[in-house]
Structure formats: C-alpha cells, structure tokens
Amino acid sequence: MNTQKAHLRAVQNAPQRAVAYIRVSKERDGMISPELQLTSIEQHCERSGYEIVETITDLDMTGRFWKRRQVERAIGMIEAGAADVLVVWKISRVSRNRKDWAIAVDRVEGIGGRMESATEPMDTTTSSGRFARGMLAELAAFESERMGEQWKESHARRVKAGIPANGKPRFGYQYSKEEGFSPDPVTGPVLADLYRRYLSGQSVYSLVKWLNDGPTRPVSGYGVSSDGLWSDRTVRRIMDQGFGAGYITYHGERIPGIHEPVITEAEWIEYQARRATRRVHRRSERSQYLFSGMIRCACGATMHAGLYGNNRSPKYKCGAVGNKRKHTGGYVMTSTVETDVLAWLESVAANVEAEADLAARAEEQTAKAIDAVGHLRKQLAKLSTRMDQLTNKMLDGTIPDDTYRRLRDELQAQRDDLEVSIRDALVVASRPPASLIPDLLENWAILPLDTKRDLLSRLIHHVEVEPMRPRSRVTVHPRW
Ligand SMILES: [Zn+2]
C-alpha cells in the first residue's frame, strides 16, 4: 500500500481518479433518481478535474447497513490505490450512523484518499471544510436517530416472521416466550363469540353490556377506560385489529401472523364487510328506532326519528321540514313504515315461498357474487402490476417523485375500493340475502331491535317515504 501511495504522489499531473458512489433507497423521503445523482457527481468531477474510474451503485439499502454495502468496495478501491477520491451525491445519504461515518472517513483519509460530496461542496483540506462535513454527518446521524431506524428495522424483522412487533397482551390470548401467542382457554372463546354475536346482528353496545355482565375484563393496551370495564371503543379496537383472525398489524397494514386464529377467514371477511356498512350508520346503531339511518324522504333529505307532535308519538321527521319550498308536512308514523316494510318482506317471501324457489334465488345470488369476486380479483392483480411498474419507473428515475406519489395514491385508492367490493361480494357468496328473509319473518316479534335492524340493512338499501295524508307512501329499495 505504501508503494502505491508513493506511486500516486509521483504522478501528480495525471488527473485524480474518482469513484462515483450512488445510493438508491426505496425509502420515500429524500429519494432522488440514480441518474440525477450520477449527473451531479459527474459535474462535480468535471469541475474538479477528476476522472471517474468506477461507478458503484447501492440498491435498496438503508443507510445503516454500512458493512454489507457497496461503499465497502469503493473504500477498498482507495485502499488498494485504484482510486484517489470517493465522490458521493450527498454525505447524509452515505451513512446515517455517526460511528460508521467516522470510521469510513478515517479509513479513506488514513490512506491518503478523500471523500467529497457533489452537492455540498467544501474544501476538506481546510479545518473549516472538515468541520462543515462533520456537521453534515452529525445532522444525518441526528435525523436517523430521530426516525429510530434501527428500532424500525428490528420491528420489520419480527413482523416478517409473523410475530407482533411487541409482546403486549392481546385479549383472548396467552403469551409465553417459548411459544409466543396462543388462544387463552377462557378468554379465547369469548373473543370468538364476540365476533359471532356481532355477525348475528348484535350492536356493539349490547356486546359491551354482555361483556361487562361476564367475568372477563379488557387487557391493557386497547385504551381501557379508567373503571377497567368494557367500552364500545375497546370492543371495536379489539375486533378491528383482527388478531383473533390470525393477523398482526404493522404500520397500519394487516399481515398474516403465525399465531392460531379463533375465528375463520370467512367470519373475518364478513366482520369487515359488516363493520364497513355499520360504520356509515354508526349513530343509528344506538337508536331505539328500527329504520334509523335507512330512511329517506321523497324530497331527498334524510329522516330522523323522535317523539313529535302534541301527543309525542314516535315518528320519522324529514330533515327539510321548515323549508317551505320543499313541502309542507314531512312526518310519518314509525308504525306505518314498519307495517309497510313487513308487507314488502312478506311479498318477497311469497315470491320465493317454495323452498326450492328460495334455494334457487340464493344460488343465483351466490353465483353472481362468485363471478364478481373473480372479476374483481383480476382487476386487483392488474392494479398490483401497475403499482410495481410505477415503482420501477420511480427507481429508474423515469418519473419524478411528486408524479410517483400522486399516481401511487390514486392506485392505492382504487385498490382500497376494489378490496371493499371483493369483501362485499364474498359475504353475499357465503350468505346470500334471500336466505335471511324466512328467519327474519319467523322471528320478527322476538328478535332484538339491533339484530332486526342489522338484518334489514343487509336486504334493504333504503326506505323512501312520501309524507302525505291520510297515509304516507312507503317504497322499499332492496339491495338487489
Ligand atoms: Zn322531505
């Protein structure tokens, strides 16, 4: 090595040999295309009179994986006397680790080489230049620590293995270091029952009451209320998380875990679909009125239930009442709506009264739903391909960052929509609406209000009312 250094000094008139070092990261922040990095490195070398003898590209590595990266090869070239200067696009992109940085600079300078930044020009032969470079490295290290990259990487590794990022207690499960999470013999069945009761139409509020009447209490980490009792928030959180369905969450994304689920995948899909439908009518979930959230006035406004008039009788009131241009009146008795919807249900049931007819109708609905799922899955696959192409284009530098982000968000939104449609179709396939009607009619008098409302919402898109005297007109708009 010493002889090589001596050799270098002897040929001072020859242009200095530079290694261009490019780092491409898939992290979205501070991303710049390899082409742009190379262009600015080339310009820097031209200005300084360097000849680029090698271009080294590091792909998709975070700044912390210093040792495994190509930068090691670049430093090696200087150590071997094959190059004099290492030129990077930005010092903060070389290493995010303070110690790695110091060692690298030491190694490069210790053998008579230099490290320079194409975008942060500074004369590192002077003490102020070295100070500035040190500051940049400090800033990079600070940024890295703030982001807790190392912590995230260790999370990512655990998540990859299907293990939750932390060992905090999960309701329905017991935890041991050796075996990880496994269903708890007492609370596991309660968790499963929770989902099944929800699917049978029970409201979250009735589930809260059921849980608080029982022996189990929520475990910490779900935003437990100060009295230690179950709340609607806690119940929703536990169910939404999907741990009981075998999933873990990472960065808001749900991925399959390695622990044993307490409910089936079909139940989980149905849960998500029901949850999405009911979320729209969240306020009405607690209402004492059967058609809350489902009823509209012919004028287009929604109707709200309450005790109205001199006799304080239960009615739905049009939201546009008081707006004289729309209509006068605007009330309908709740009993009128119920009578008419019941009559509608019976007429539908009469059409499919024979069991064979009902089975045929259900089969038809199932077949349609299965077709729809196939079609939607194909669209989803196409979308994924487009997403991959887009990411590659971004990494090539073919499209700028902001364009990439915009298109990515658009594709993501389309994907979310498709996933909702697939879920809905899967639910119909597993439980066609027509199959619900006989049970609903047979048990109309004894079913709890929230169960009836939930079953109705699977059949009925909305109920339209034309308020008038002597009797309002009620039209049912079914989901099919
Ligand atoms: Zn109205």
Side-chain angles (χ1 to χ4, degrees):
M1 205 149 49
N2 280 338
T3 48
Q4 279 164 333
K5 247 160 84 184
H7 171 72
L8 279 181
R9 286 200 188 101
V11 284
Q12 260 177 3
N13 288 336
Q16 298 216 31
R17 297 156 305 166
V19 178
Y21 171 73
I22 294 162
R23 189 167 86 85
V24 184
S25 149
K26 274 184 184 167
E27 300 162 290
R28 279 169 207 133
D29 59 311
M31 188 44 228
I32 183 159
S33 78
E35 260 98 312
L36 278 178
Q37 290 188 38
L38 185 59
T39 305
S40 55
I41 291 172
E42 279 171 350
Q43 284 167 352
H44 174 81
C45 289
E46 207 184 325
R47 277 195 305 269
S48 314
Y50 305 155
E51 182 199 346
I52 296 176
V53 290
E54 181 92 353
T55 300
I56 290 176
T57 309
D58 250 4
L59 274 169
D60 194 26
M61 286 285 189
T62 65
R64 279 191 185 267
F65 288 114
W66 179 270
K67 290 217 170 70
R68 275 184 263 146
R69 288 163 44 197
Q70 294 275 15
V71 73
E72 197 60 23
R73 190 156 77 82
I75 295 172
M77 284 184 70
I78 292 176
E79 277 178 335
D84 312 299
V85 56
L86 179 59
V87 184
V88 301
W89 168 67
K90 224 181 215 344
I91 278 171
S92 59
R93 292 293 150 207
V94 180
S95 173
R96 294 244 178 113
N97 184 300
R98 214 173 301 189
K99 207 174 108 223
D100 284 348
W101 167 255
I103 292 170
V105 170
D106 268 354
R107 277 177 61 194
V108 171
E109 290 184 347
I111 49 172
R114 291 191 316 282
M115 193 182 289
E116 290 180 8
S117 163
T119 54
E120 301 142 327
M122 60 196 69
D123 183 4
T124 52
T125 60
T126 67
S127 63
S128 63
R130 279 196 294 273
F131 175 72
R133 185 181 61 188
M135 281 301 291
L136 285 172
E138 280 297 311
L139 281 173
F142 168 73
E143 189 195 346
S144 173
E145 277 154 24
R146 196 176 47 117
M147 285 169 45
E149 223 175 58
Q150 202 164 35
W151 178 82
K152 280 197 222 153
E153 278 164 17
S154 100
H155 266 214
R157 269 196 302 277
R158 300 194 66 182
V159 164
K160 225 175 182 173
I163 303 163
N166 60 54
K168 76 165 191 192
R170 318 274 160 159
F171 181 75
Y173 284 82
Q174 53 190 7
Y175 180 79
S176 77
K177 272 216 166 110
E178 300 74 41
E179 290 172 39
F181 286 97
S182 59
D184 181 272
V186 176
T187 58
V190 174
L191 178 61
D193 214 11
L194 200 56
Y195 281 107
R196 285 164 196 156
R197 280 168 183 261
Y198 184 88
L199 291 185
S200 80
Q202 290 188 18
S203 69
V204 170
Y205 302 98
S206 68
L207 293 175
V208 169
K209 191 183 174 305
W210 171 69
L211 285 165
N212 280 329
D213 287 345
T216 67
R217 290 295 171 262
V219 294
S220 62
Y222 292 106
V224 180
S225 45
S226 53
D227 55 10
L229 290 173
W230 290 97
S231 69
D232 55 312
R233 229 172 109 105
T234 320
V235 171
R236 283 204 183 90
R237 274 207 189 151
I238 288 179
M239 291 203 292
D240 285 354
Q241 231 166 36
F243 197 79
Y247 290 90
I248 60 171
T249 23
Y250 181 67
H251 279 208
E253 204 180 320
R254 215 175 277 110
I255 57 172
I258 55 166
H259 61 281
E260 188 190 322
V262 296
I263 58 167
T264 65
E265 181 66 12
E267 284 170 324
W268 171 241
I269 289 168
E270 188 172 354
Y271 168 75
Q272 290 175 294
R274 296 308 304 149
R275 181 82 170 88
T277 319
R278 286 206 212 165
R279 186 176 277 134
V280 181
H281 308 297
R282 183 121 152 211
R283 249 171 20 139
S284 61
E285 209 186 352
R286 224 170 180 165
S287 166
Q288 290 309 302
Y289 299 91
L290 192 54
F291 297 98
S292 287
M294 237 183 287
I295 187 158
R296 284 183 211 165
C297 178
C299 79
T302 38
M303 299 188 88
H304 306 284
L307 300 173
Y308 300 111
N310 293 334
N311 54 356
R312 312 273 300 148
S313 56
K315 287 176 185 136
Y316 297 101
K317 176 191 177 184
C318 170
V321 164
N323 179 350
K324 281 189 180 150
R325 276 167 54 198
K326 287 214 165 160
H327 55 70
T328 51
Y331 295 85
V332 62
M333 300 286 289
T334 55
S335 56
T336 306
V337 181
E338 185 167 338
T339 306
D340 287 7
V341 171
L342 207 50
W344 172 79
L345 278 173
E346 269 155 4
S347 76
V348 175
N351 282 335
V352 290
E353 204 171 21
E355 238 170 79
D357 273 358
L358 181 63
R361 170 77 72 96
E363 209 169 289
E364 185 192 317
Q365 284 172 343
T366 307
K368 262 191 198 161
I370 288 171
D371 271 2
V373 171
H375 176 68
L376 290 166
R377 285 235 161 98
K378 266 183 212 151
Q379 277 180 278
L380 198 62
K382 267 189 207 157
L383 217 54
S384 295
T385 310
R386 279 178 59 197
M387 197 82 149
D388 289 347
Q389 287 166 346
L390 192 66
T391 307
N392 284 335
K393 276 187 184 163
M394 185 270 293
L395 286 172
D396 294 349
T398 322
I399 54 164
D401 240 23
D402 51 347
T403 310
Y404 166 74
R405 265 192 285 268
R406 185 172 50 75
L407 292 173
R408 181 199 62 201
D409 292 348
E410 273 172 23
L411 288 179
Q412 188 60 50
Q414 286 178 34
R415 192 151 77 182
D416 291 348
D417 286 349
L418 274 177
E419 276 167 3
V420 169
S421 308
I422 289 176
R423 230 157 43 204
D424 288 347
L426 282 172
V427 171
V428 172
S430 70
R431 207 192 279 202
S435 66
L436 301 170
I437 298 174
D439 271 354
L440 181 59
L441 280 174
E442 198 178 318
N443 300 301
W444 188 262
I446 53 164
L447 281 174
L449 181 85
D450 49 9
T451 305
K452 265 199 282 200
R453 182 163 46 223
D454 186 66
L455 290 174
L456 283 173
S457 76
R458 299 183 197 206
L459 298 164
I460 295 172
H461 186 266
H462 70 277
V463 176
E464 190 183 293
V465 175
E466 213 176 318
M468 59 169 105
R469 292 204 174 131
R471 198 182 189 282
S472 301
R473 186 175 298 148
V474 179
T475 317
V476 176
H477 296 262
R479 286 201 174 272
W480 52 83

